[in-house]
Amino acid sequence: MADSFSKKENFKKKIQKQKEKALKREERKTSNNKGKSLDEMLMYVDANGQLTSTPPDHAEKAEINVDDIRLGAAPIEAEEIRKTGIITFFSEKGYGFITEDKSKENIFFHSNNCAEPVKKGNKVSYEKEKSPKGFSAVDIQLVK
């Protein structure tokens, strides 16, 4: 039986793809960087620790003060004890949430921790305290 036209075309495409693949393989073999000597691949490290192909200039040597080198983690800056925010939710059951002004973080509070009666939309100042379920606001006072 004779092959149909589409079978012949598909066979031609398959042969063409195999030829292209073989050409690409040969091209990769001729242009690969494996097996080069160290002189051909020589790289240098500049003063900033970046790789470069140009040799360093030994005339410009920066002096480093040993006291300026800090080992370990960066120091933790003390944050403000008193924070401000706006009450964005307040339930008649006595709890709500304050959205902190700087970080826009929501912090839970209960009306027992309020010095005066508060309502939704009030600007308040408070102290942040770690509780078993996350952070909560205590010592809440209205800001006038």
Short mmCIF file of all heavy atoms in Angstrom, two decimals, residues 6-38:
data_model
loop_
_atom_site.label_atom_id
_atom_site.label_comp_id
_atom_site.label_asym_id
_atom_site.label_seq_id
_atom_site.Cartn_x
_atom_site.Cartn_y
_atom_site.Cartn_z
N SER A 6 -0.21 13.04 3.85
CA SER A 6 0.11 13.57 5.20
C SER A 6 1.19 12.73 5.88
O SER A 6 2.04 13.25 6.60
CB SER A 6 -1.15 13.64 6.06
OG SER A 6 -1.69 12.35 6.24
N LYS A 7 1.18 11.40 5.65
CA LYS A 7 2.23 10.55 6.23
C LYS A 7 3.59 10.90 5.66
O LYS A 7 4.58 10.96 6.38
CB LYS A 7 1.93 9.08 5.99
CG LYS A 7 0.89 8.50 6.90
CD LYS A 7 0.79 7.00 6.72
CE LYS A 7 -0.23 6.40 7.64
NZ LYS A 7 -0.33 4.94 7.49
N LYS A 8 3.64 11.16 4.35
CA LYS A 8 4.90 11.54 3.71
C LYS A 8 5.40 12.87 4.26
O LYS A 8 6.59 13.04 4.55
CB LYS A 8 4.73 11.64 2.19
CG LYS A 8 4.54 10.32 1.49
CD LYS A 8 4.33 10.52 0.02
CE LYS A 8 4.00 9.21 -0.68
NZ LYS A 8 3.71 9.40 -2.11
N GLU A 9 4.48 13.83 4.42
CA GLU A 9 4.87 15.15 4.95
C GLU A 9 5.37 15.04 6.39
O GLU A 9 6.37 15.65 6.76
CB GLU A 9 3.67 16.13 4.89
CG GLU A 9 3.33 16.59 3.49
CD GLU A 9 4.46 17.34 2.85
OE1 GLU A 9 5.04 18.25 3.49
OE2 GLU A 9 4.81 17.01 1.69
N ASN A 10 4.69 14.27 7.19
CA ASN A 10 5.12 14.07 8.59
C ASN A 10 6.49 13.42 8.64
O ASN A 10 7.33 13.76 9.49
CB ASN A 10 4.10 13.24 9.36
CG ASN A 10 2.83 14.01 9.68
OD1 ASN A 10 2.83 15.24 9.66
ND2 ASN A 10 1.75 13.29 9.95
N PHE A 11 6.75 12.45 7.76
CA PHE A 11 8.04 11.79 7.71
C PHE A 11 9.14 12.78 7.33
O PHE A 11 10.22 12.79 7.92
CB PHE A 11 7.99 10.62 6.71
CG PHE A 11 9.26 9.82 6.67
CD1 PHE A 11 9.62 9.00 7.73
CD2 PHE A 11 10.11 9.90 5.57
CE1 PHE A 11 10.80 8.27 7.70
CE2 PHE A 11 11.29 9.18 5.53
CZ PHE A 11 11.63 8.36 6.60
N LYS A 12 8.85 13.66 6.35
CA LYS A 12 9.82 14.68 5.94
C LYS A 12 10.14 15.64 7.10
O LYS A 12 11.29 16.00 7.32
CB LYS A 12 9.29 15.49 4.75
CG LYS A 12 9.30 14.74 3.43
CD LYS A 12 8.75 15.63 2.33
CE LYS A 12 8.61 14.88 1.01
NZ LYS A 12 8.01 15.72 -0.04
N LYS A 13 9.10 16.05 7.83
CA LYS A 13 9.29 16.95 8.98
C LYS A 13 10.14 16.28 10.05
O LYS A 13 11.01 16.90 10.65
CB LYS A 13 7.94 17.36 9.57
CG LYS A 13 7.17 18.35 8.73
CD LYS A 13 5.86 18.70 9.39
CE LYS A 13 5.02 19.60 8.51
NZ LYS A 13 3.69 19.88 9.10
N LYS A 14 9.90 14.99 10.28
CA LYS A 14 10.66 14.24 11.29
C LYS A 14 12.14 14.17 10.91
O LYS A 14 13.02 14.39 11.75
CB LYS A 14 10.07 12.84 11.41
CG LYS A 14 10.65 12.00 12.51
CD LYS A 14 9.93 10.67 12.61
CE LYS A 14 10.53 9.80 13.67
NZ LYS A 14 9.87 8.48 13.74
N ILE A 15 12.42 13.90 9.64
CA ILE A 15 13.81 13.84 9.16
C ILE A 15 14.46 15.21 9.30
O ILE A 15 15.62 15.32 9.74
CB ILE A 15 13.85 13.36 7.69
CG1 ILE A 15 13.32 11.92 7.56
CG2 ILE A 15 15.25 13.47 7.10
CD1 ILE A 15 14.19 10.88 8.22
N GLN A 16 13.73 16.28 8.97
CA GLN A 16 14.26 17.65 9.07
C GLN A 16 14.60 18.00 10.52
O GLN A 16 15.65 18.57 10.81
CB GLN A 16 13.25 18.66 8.50
CG GLN A 16 13.71 20.08 8.50
CD GLN A 16 14.92 20.32 7.62
OE1 GLN A 16 15.13 19.63 6.63
NE2 GLN A 16 15.73 21.27 8.00
N LYS A 17 13.72 17.63 11.47
CA LYS A 17 13.97 17.89 12.88
C LYS A 17 15.21 17.14 13.36
O LYS A 17 16.00 17.67 14.15
CB LYS A 17 12.76 17.49 13.73
CG LYS A 17 11.64 18.50 13.69
CD LYS A 17 10.54 18.09 14.65
CE LYS A 17 9.40 19.08 14.61
NZ LYS A 17 8.31 18.74 15.52
N GLN A 18 15.39 15.91 12.92
CA GLN A 18 16.56 15.13 13.31
C GLN A 18 17.83 15.79 12.80
O GLN A 18 18.84 15.84 13.52
CB GLN A 18 16.46 13.70 12.77
CG GLN A 18 15.43 12.85 13.49
CD GLN A 18 15.26 11.47 12.87
OE1 GLN A 18 15.74 11.21 11.77
NE2 GLN A 18 14.57 10.59 13.59
N LYS A 19 17.81 16.32 11.58
CA LYS A 19 18.97 17.02 11.02
C LYS A 19 19.29 18.28 11.82
O LYS A 19 20.45 18.55 12.15
CB LYS A 19 18.74 17.38 9.55
CG LYS A 19 18.78 16.21 8.61
CD LYS A 19 18.54 16.65 7.18
CE LYS A 19 18.49 15.46 6.23
NZ LYS A 19 18.19 15.88 4.87
N GLU A 20 18.24 19.06 12.16
CA GLU A 20 18.44 20.28 12.96
C GLU A 20 19.02 19.96 14.33
O GLU A 20 19.89 20.65 14.83
CB GLU A 20 17.11 21.03 13.10
CG GLU A 20 16.64 21.69 11.83
CD GLU A 20 15.25 22.29 11.97
OE1 GLU A 20 14.67 22.25 13.08
OE2 GLU A 20 14.74 22.80 10.95
N LYS A 21 18.51 18.89 14.93
CA LYS A 21 18.99 18.48 16.25
C LYS A 21 20.46 18.08 16.19
O LYS A 21 21.26 18.43 17.06
CB LYS A 21 18.14 17.32 16.76
CG LYS A 21 18.30 17.02 18.21
CD LYS A 21 17.28 15.98 18.65
CE LYS A 21 17.40 15.69 20.12
NZ LYS A 21 16.43 14.68 20.57
N ALA A 22 20.85 17.35 15.12
CA ALA A 22 22.25 16.94 14.96
C ALA A 22 23.15 18.16 14.76
O ALA A 22 24.25 18.22 15.31
CB ALA A 22 22.37 15.99 13.78
N LEU A 23 22.68 19.17 13.99
CA LEU A 23 23.46 20.40 13.79
C LEU A 23 23.66 21.15 15.11
O LEU A 23 24.76 21.63 15.41
CB LEU A 23 22.76 21.31 12.78
CG LEU A 23 22.90 20.91 11.32
CD1 LEU A 23 22.01 21.78 10.45
CD2 LEU A 23 24.34 21.02 10.87
N LYS A 24 22.59 21.25 15.89
CA LYS A 24 22.69 21.93 17.19
C LYS A 24 23.67 21.21 18.11
O LYS A 24 24.45 21.83 18.82
CB LYS A 24 21.32 22.02 17.86
CG LYS A 24 20.40 23.04 17.24
CD LYS A 24 19.08 23.08 17.97
CE LYS A 24 18.10 24.02 17.30
NZ LYS A 24 16.79 24.01 17.96
N ARG A 25 23.64 19.86 18.09
CA ARG A 25 24.54 19.07 18.92
C ARG A 25 26.00 19.33 18.54
O ARG A 25 26.86 19.52 19.40
CB ARG A 25 24.20 17.59 18.77
CG ARG A 25 24.90 16.70 19.75
CD ARG A 25 24.56 15.21 19.61
NE ARG A 25 23.14 14.94 19.49
CZ ARG A 25 22.57 14.35 18.44
NH1 ARG A 25 23.29 13.93 17.43
NH2 ARG A 25 21.27 14.14 18.41
N GLU A 26 26.28 19.35 17.24
CA GLU A 26 27.63 19.63 16.74
C GLU A 26 28.08 21.04 17.13
O GLU A 26 29.22 21.26 17.52
CB GLU A 26 27.69 19.45 15.22
CG GLU A 26 27.67 18.02 14.77
CD GLU A 26 28.84 17.21 15.31
OE1 GLU A 26 29.98 17.73 15.32
OE2 GLU A 26 28.62 16.07 15.76
N GLU A 27 27.15 21.99 17.03
CA GLU A 27 27.48 23.38 17.39
C GLU A 27 27.83 23.50 18.87
O GLU A 27 28.77 24.19 19.25
CB GLU A 27 26.28 24.28 17.06
CG GLU A 27 26.55 25.75 17.25
CD GLU A 27 25.34 26.60 16.90
OE1 GLU A 27 24.62 26.24 15.96
OE2 GLU A 27 25.14 27.60 17.60
N ARG A 28 27.08 22.80 19.72
CA ARG A 28 27.38 22.82 21.16
C ARG A 28 28.74 22.20 21.45
O ARG A 28 29.48 22.66 22.31
CB ARG A 28 26.29 22.08 21.93
CG ARG A 28 25.06 22.90 22.21
CD ARG A 28 24.18 22.28 23.28
NE ARG A 28 23.85 20.88 23.04
CZ ARG A 28 22.77 20.45 22.39
NH1 ARG A 28 21.92 21.31 21.90
NH2 ARG A 28 22.55 19.16 22.23
N LYS A 29 29.08 21.12 20.72
CA LYS A 29 30.37 20.46 20.94
C LYS A 29 31.53 21.39 20.59
O LYS A 29 32.54 21.41 21.27
CB LYS A 29 30.46 19.18 20.10
CG LYS A 29 29.71 18.02 20.69
CD LYS A 29 29.93 16.77 19.85
CE LYS A 29 29.15 15.61 20.39
NZ LYS A 29 29.33 14.40 19.58
N THR A 30 31.38 22.14 19.52
CA THR A 30 32.49 23.01 19.09
C THR A 30 32.61 24.27 19.93
O THR A 30 33.69 24.82 20.08
CB THR A 30 32.33 23.41 17.62
OG1 THR A 30 31.08 24.08 17.44
CG2 THR A 30 32.41 22.21 16.71
N SER A 31 31.51 24.74 20.53
CA SER A 31 31.57 26.01 21.26
C SER A 31 31.48 25.84 22.77
O SER A 31 31.21 26.80 23.48
CB SER A 31 30.44 26.93 20.79
OG SER A 31 29.20 26.37 21.14
N ASN A 32 31.70 24.64 23.29
CA ASN A 32 31.60 24.49 24.75
C ASN A 32 32.87 24.98 25.44
O ASN A 32 33.93 25.11 24.84
CB ASN A 32 31.29 23.03 25.13
CG ASN A 32 32.47 22.11 24.96
OD1 ASN A 32 33.53 22.51 24.49
ND2 ASN A 32 32.29 20.86 25.33
N ASN A 33 32.77 25.29 26.71
CA ASN A 33 33.90 25.84 27.48
C ASN A 33 34.56 24.79 28.36
O ASN A 33 35.43 25.11 29.15
CB ASN A 33 33.40 26.98 28.36
CG ASN A 33 32.99 28.17 27.54
OD1 ASN A 33 33.48 28.36 26.43
ND2 ASN A 33 32.09 28.98 28.08
N LYS A 34 34.16 23.53 28.22
CA LYS A 34 34.74 22.49 29.06
C LYS A 34 36.16 22.19 28.60
O LYS A 34 36.45 22.19 27.41
CB LYS A 34 33.91 21.22 29.00
CG LYS A 34 32.55 21.38 29.65
CD LYS A 34 31.79 20.09 29.60
CE LYS A 34 30.43 20.27 30.21
NZ LYS A 34 29.61 19.07 30.09
N GLY A 35 37.02 21.94 29.56
CA GLY A 35 38.37 21.55 29.24
C GLY A 35 39.31 22.69 28.92
O GLY A 35 40.43 22.47 28.50
N LYS A 36 38.85 23.93 29.11
CA LYS A 36 39.75 25.06 28.86
C LYS A 36 40.77 25.14 29.98
O LYS A 36 40.51 24.76 31.12
CB LYS A 36 38.96 26.37 28.81
CG LYS A 36 38.22 26.58 27.51
CD LYS A 36 37.69 27.98 27.47
CE LYS A 36 37.04 28.27 26.14
NZ LYS A 36 36.50 29.62 26.10
N SER A 37 41.90 25.70 29.67
CA SER A 37 42.92 25.85 30.69
C SER A 37 42.55 27.01 31.61
O SER A 37 41.70 27.84 31.29
CB SER A 37 44.28 26.12 30.03
OG SER A 37 44.25 27.39 29.41
N LEU A 38 43.22 27.08 32.74
CA LEU A 38 42.93 28.14 33.72
C LEU A 38 43.24 29.53 33.16
O LEU A 38 42.59 30.50 33.50
CB LEU A 38 43.73 27.91 35.00
CG LEU A 38 43.25 26.76 35.87
CD1 LEU A 38 44.18 26.58 37.06
CD2 LEU A 38 41.84 26.99 36.33
#
